[in-house]
Amino acid sequence: MRSTATVLVYSDDASTREQVRLAVGRRPAADVPPVEFVECATLPAVLMALEEGGIDLCVLDGEAVPAGGMGVCRQIKDEIFRCPPVLLLIGRPQDAWLATWSRAEAAVTHPVDPVALADTLAELLRKRQAVSA
C-alpha cells in the first residue's frame, strides 16, 4: 500500500458521502495510512475510477439509487480485476445476508455510526496492507 490509502465512496446522496468522510476523518486508526477520498455519485463514475486504478477500498451505499451499492458490489467483484475490498452501508442489520450475497468484505448499518465505520474501514485497510506486504 502507498503512503496514503485511497477510498472510493459511492452514494447518490451527497450528505451520505459527507457522513462517511467525516466519520473516517483523515486517518481512521494510528496504524493505517492517511486516507484520501474519491467520491462518486453514479455507477459509471465508480467503474471509471476503478478501471483507472489506485483505489485501496470502496465504501458503497446499499441504499443508493438507481444502482444500489449491493448490486454495484457484485458487479465490480465480477468485472474489476483485483477488485479492492468493499465496505457496504446497509439500511438495517437484517440486510447483512444481502451484503454477503454481494461479496462485500464488511458491512455497517446506515445511518453512519462514526466509530463502527472508522473501525471497520481501518480493519479492511490493515488486511489489505498485510496482503500487499
Side-chain angles (χ1 to χ4, degrees):
M1 194 177 300
R2 300 175 305 277
S3 61
T4 60
T6 303
V7 176
L8 181 145
V9 181
Y10 164 68
S11 179
D12 65 312
D13 185 346
S15 66
T16 298
R17 295 191 307 269
E18 179 182 33
Q19 287 174 20
V20 170
R21 280 193 336 270
L22 293 174
V24 172
R26 292 180 181 235
R27 188 174 224 152
D31 61 335
V32 298
V35 173
E36 295 178 354
F37 294 98
V38 173
E39 292 187 40
C40 298
T42 65
L43 175 57
V46 170
L47 296 176
M48 187 180 309
L50 288 170
E51 287 173 9
E52 288 174 4
I55 303 295
D56 295 300
L57 187 127
C58 298
V59 178
L60 307 178
D61 180 1
E63 305 298 315
V65 289
M70 292 180 208
V72 171
C73 180
R74 189 152 174 104
Q75 180 177 347
I76 65 175
K77 292 293 184 177
D78 286 340
E79 296 178 2
I80 303 298
F81 180 65
R82 293 188 180 146
C83 183
V86 174
L87 190 161
L88 272 175
L89 301 177
I90 58 176
R92 54 197 186 118
Q94 295 87 342
D95 292 336
W97 74 272
L98 287 168
T100 301
W101 167 84
S102 71
R103 299 195 302 242
E105 281 74 10
V108 296
T109 56
H110 192 269
V112 173
D113 172 354
V115 174
L117 181 62
D119 287 349
T120 305
L121 191 135
E123 184 59 32
L124 290 174
L125 288 175
R126 284 185 202 103
K127 287 178 184 176
R128 179 144 174 119
Q129 204 168 15
V131 170
S132 299

